Amino acid sequence: MIRTEKRMRLCVALTVCCLVFIWGNSLLPGDISGAISDFVKKILERLFTQGEPEPENGGFLVRKLAHFTEFTMLGLCLCWLFGMLGKGKLLPFLCGAAAACVDETIQIFVPGRGPGVRDVCIDSCGVLLGVILLTLGHHYLCKKQPLEET
């Protein structure tokens, strides 16, 4: 990936914003986090379930999908950052998985929240998807090198 000072600053800023968003949400007490999830669930229900029965555990699915999505974004940012530094694909994944562990550790100290191994797995899968998407996108756009060499 082409590395310029401007791109590096943008990438670092986006990565920091992702982490602030992720860890900031983890600092929210359980009742506030639940209220946000319920609000998003109601919006999604209005958009997608007109006349259909409400799914059970919809709030649970919204929270898990949010975890997956925010960590996919982090994976994209980390892969872009480490790609510009020429550090390969394993390091962004490992850093993203470490961020997931930190995220769950934060929740130990927040009222109404708790850590979960399942959440670390969901978060890590999100990071992996982000790394894969950026790798495939970069390969598709550049088509310079075989995929194994990038």
Side-chain angles (χ1 to χ4, degrees):
M1 292 182 198
I2 299 172
R3 177 179 163 184
T4 65
E5 186 177 335
K6 188 176 182 179
R7 287 181 183 177
M8 284 294 294
R9 275 194 253 137
L10 175 63
C11 187
V12 168
L14 288 173
T15 303
V16 169
C17 286
C18 282
L19 288 171
V20 167
F21 180 80
I22 290 167
W23 292 338
N25 281 324
S26 289
L27 288 168
L28 294 174
D31 56 340
I32 295 174
S33 177
I36 293 170
S37 295
D38 290 342
F39 176 73
V40 172
K41 179 184 167 209
K42 286 179 185 175
I43 290 172
L44 293 175
E45 284 173 355
R46 287 185 180 161
L47 291 173
F48 297 111
T49 61
Q50 295 175 352
E52 296 177 20
E54 182 178 322
E56 279 188 42
N57 292 331
F60 172 81
L61 294 174
V62 167
R63 286 191 302 275
K64 300 312 166 193
L65 184 58
H67 269 265
F68 187 81
T69 304
E70 62 194 16
F71 276 89
T72 299
M73 297 307 297
L74 180 63
L76 287 166
C77 290
L78 289 171
C79 188
W80 183 26
L81 178 63
F82 286 109
M84 285 190 288
L85 297 172
K87 300 293 184 184
K89 306 297 179 245
L90 182 60
L91 194 55
F93 173 74
L94 292 175
C95 288
C101 292
V102 170
D103 182 50
E104 294 304 310
T105 302
I106 289 169
Q107 293 181 32
I108 293 172
F109 306 102
V110 178
R113 304 289 296 264
V117 173
R118 175 177 40 198
D119 285 346
V120 172
C121 293
I122 291 169
D123 299 346
S124 297
C125 287
V127 171
L128 182 60
L129 178 63
V131 170
I132 289 169
L133 287 175
L134 192 72
T135 301
L136 292 176
H138 182 259
H139 175 70
Y140 176 77
L141 291 174
C142 293
K143 292 187 179 180
K144 292 180 183 176
Q145 303 171 347
L147 191 55
E148 298 82 35
E149 294 179 20
T150 57

